[in-house]
Coordinates of all heavy atoms in Angstrom, one line a residue:
I1 N -33.4 36.6 59.4 CA -32.1 37.2 59.8 C -32.4 38.6 60.4 O -32.7 39.6 59.7 CB -31.1 37.3 58.6 CG1 -30.9 35.9 58.0 CG2 -29.8 38.0 59.0 CD1 -30.1 35.9 56.7
G2 N -32.4 38.7 61.7 CA -32.7 39.9 62.4 C -33.0 39.6 63.9 O -33.1 38.4 64.2
F3 N -33.1 40.5 64.8 CA -33.0 41.9 64.5 C -31.5 42.4 64.8 O -30.7 41.5 65.0 CB -34.0 42.7 65.2 CG -35.4 42.4 64.8 CD1 -36.3 41.8 65.7 CD2 -35.8 42.5 63.5 CE1 -37.6 41.4 65.3 CE2 -37.1 42.2 63.0 CZ -38.0 41.6 64.0
M4 N -31.3 43.7 65.0 CA -29.9 44.2 65.2 C -29.4 43.9 66.6 O -30.0 44.4 67.6 CB -29.9 45.7 64.9 CG -28.5 46.2 64.6 SD -27.6 45.3 63.3 CE -28.7 45.7 61.9
P5 N -28.3 43.2 66.7 CA -27.6 43.1 68.0 C -27.3 44.5 68.6 O -27.0 45.4 67.9 CB -26.4 42.3 67.7 CG -26.6 41.6 66.4 CD -27.5 42.5 65.7
E6 N -27.3 44.5 69.9 CA -27.1 45.8 70.6 C -25.7 46.4 70.3 O -25.6 47.6 70.0 CB -27.2 45.6 72.1 CG -27.2 46.9 72.9 CD -27.5 46.7 74.4 OE1 -27.5 45.6 74.8 OE2 -27.7 47.8 75.1
A7 N -24.7 45.5 70.2 CA -23.3 46.0 69.9 C -23.2 46.5 68.5 O -22.2 47.3 68.2 CB -22.3 44.9 70.2
L8 N -24.1 46.2 67.6 CA -24.0 46.7 66.2 C -25.0 47.8 65.9 O -24.9 48.4 64.8 CB -24.3 45.5 65.2 CG -23.1 44.5 65.0 CD1 -23.6 43.4 64.1 CD2 -21.9 45.2 64.5
S9 N -25.9 48.0 66.7 CA -27.0 49.0 66.5 C -26.4 50.4 66.4 O -25.6 50.8 67.2 CB -28.1 49.0 67.5 OG -29.0 50.0 67.3
S10 N -26.9 51.2 65.4 CA -26.5 52.6 65.3 C -27.1 53.5 66.3 O -26.7 54.6 66.5 CB -26.7 53.1 63.9 OG -28.1 52.9 63.6
K11 N -28.2 53.0 67.0 CA -28.8 53.7 68.1 C -29.3 52.7 69.1 O -30.5 52.3 69.2 CB -30.0 54.5 67.6 CG -30.6 55.5 68.6 CD -31.7 56.3 68.1 CE -32.3 57.2 69.2 NZ -33.4 58.0 68.7
P12 N -28.4 52.1 69.9 CA -28.7 51.0 70.8 C -29.6 51.3 72.0 O -30.2 50.3 72.5 CB -27.3 50.5 71.2 CG -26.4 51.7 71.1 CD -26.9 52.5 70.0
K13 N -29.6 52.5 72.4 CA -30.4 52.8 73.7 C -31.7 53.5 73.4 O -31.6 54.5 72.6 CB -29.5 53.6 74.7 CG -28.2 52.9 75.0 CD -28.5 51.6 75.8 CE -27.2 50.9 76.2 NZ -27.4 49.7 77.0
P14 N -32.8 53.2 74.0 CA -33.0 52.0 74.8 C -33.1 50.7 73.9 O -33.4 50.8 72.8 CB -34.3 52.3 75.5 CG -35.1 53.1 74.5 CD -34.0 54.0 73.9
Y15 N -32.8 49.6 74.5 CA -32.8 48.3 73.7 C -33.9 47.4 74.1 O -34.8 47.1 73.3 CB -31.4 47.7 73.9 CG -31.2 46.6 72.9 CD1 -30.8 46.9 71.6 CD2 -31.3 45.2 73.2 CE1 -30.6 45.9 70.6 CE2 -31.1 44.2 72.3 CZ -30.8 44.6 71.0 OH -30.6 43.6 70.0
R16 N -33.9 46.9 75.4 CA -34.9 46.0 75.8 C -36.2 46.8 76.1 O -36.3 47.8 76.7 CB -34.5 45.4 77.1 CG -35.5 44.5 77.9 CD -35.8 43.2 77.2 NE -36.3 42.2 78.1 CZ -37.6 41.9 78.2 NH1 -38.5 42.6 77.6 NH2 -38.0 41.0 79.1
H17 N -37.4 46.2 75.5 CA -38.7 46.8 75.8 C -39.4 45.9 76.8 O -39.1 44.7 76.9 CB -39.4 47.1 74.5 CG -40.0 45.9 73.8 ND1 -41.0 45.1 74.3 CD2 -39.6 45.2 72.7 CE1 -41.3 44.1 73.5 NE2 -40.4 44.2 72.5
Y18 N -40.5 46.5 77.4 CA -41.3 45.7 78.3 C -42.8 45.9 78.0 O -43.6 46.1 78.9 CB -41.0 46.1 79.7 CG -39.6 45.8 80.2 CD1 -38.6 46.7 80.0 CD2 -39.3 44.5 80.7 CE1 -37.3 46.4 80.3 CE2 -38.0 44.2 81.0 CZ -37.0 45.1 80.8 OH -35.7 44.8 81.2
W19 N -43.1 45.8 76.7 CA -44.5 46.0 76.2 C -45.5 45.0 76.8 O -45.2 43.8 77.1 CB -44.5 45.9 74.7 CG -45.9 46.1 74.1 CD1 -46.4 47.3 73.7 CD2 -46.8 45.1 73.8 NE1 -47.6 47.1 73.1 CE2 -47.9 45.7 73.2 CE3 -46.9 43.7 74.0 CZ2 -49.1 45.1 72.8 CZ3 -48.1 43.0 73.6 CH2 -49.1 43.7 73.0
K20 N -46.7 45.5 77.1 CA -47.8 44.7 77.6 C -49.0 45.0 76.8 O -49.2 46.2 76.3 CB -48.1 45.0 79.1 CG -47.0 44.6 80.0 CD -46.7 43.1 80.1 CE -45.7 42.8 81.1 NZ -45.4 41.3 81.2
P21 N -50.0 44.1 76.6 CA -51.2 44.4 75.9 C -51.9 45.7 76.5 O -52.0 45.8 77.7 CB -52.1 43.2 76.1 CG -51.1 42.1 76.3 CD -49.9 42.7 77.0
G22 N -52.3 46.5 75.6 CA -52.9 47.8 76.0 C -52.0 49.0 75.9 O -52.4 50.1 75.8
A23 N -50.7 48.7 76.0 CA -49.7 49.8 75.8 C -49.6 50.2 74.3 O -50.0 49.4 73.5 CB -48.3 49.3 76.4
K24 N -49.0 51.3 74.1 CA -48.8 51.7 72.7 C -47.8 50.7 72.0 O -46.8 50.4 72.5 CB -48.2 53.1 72.6 CG -49.1 54.2 73.2 CD -48.4 55.6 73.1 CE -49.4 56.7 73.5 NZ -48.8 58.0 73.5
Y25 N -48.3 50.3 70.8 CA -47.5 49.3 70.0 C -46.1 49.8 69.7 O -45.1 49.1 69.6 CB -48.3 49.0 68.7 CG -47.8 47.7 68.0 CD1 -48.2 46.5 68.4 CD2 -46.8 47.8 67.0 CE1 -47.8 45.3 67.8 CE2 -46.4 46.6 66.4 CZ -46.9 45.4 66.8 OH -46.4 44.3 66.2
E26 N -46.0 51.1 69.5 CA -44.7 51.7 69.1 C -43.6 51.5 70.2 O -42.4 51.7 69.9 CB -44.9 53.2 68.8 CG -45.7 53.6 67.6 CD -47.2 53.4 67.8 OE1 -47.6 53.3 69.0 OE2 -47.9 53.3 66.8

């Protein structure tokens, strides 16, 4: 059960990430 839908998030922005291998995991 997760994760938080954008409309319910207490801090929605930024929402979509575009991580690639080699980038910072955070």
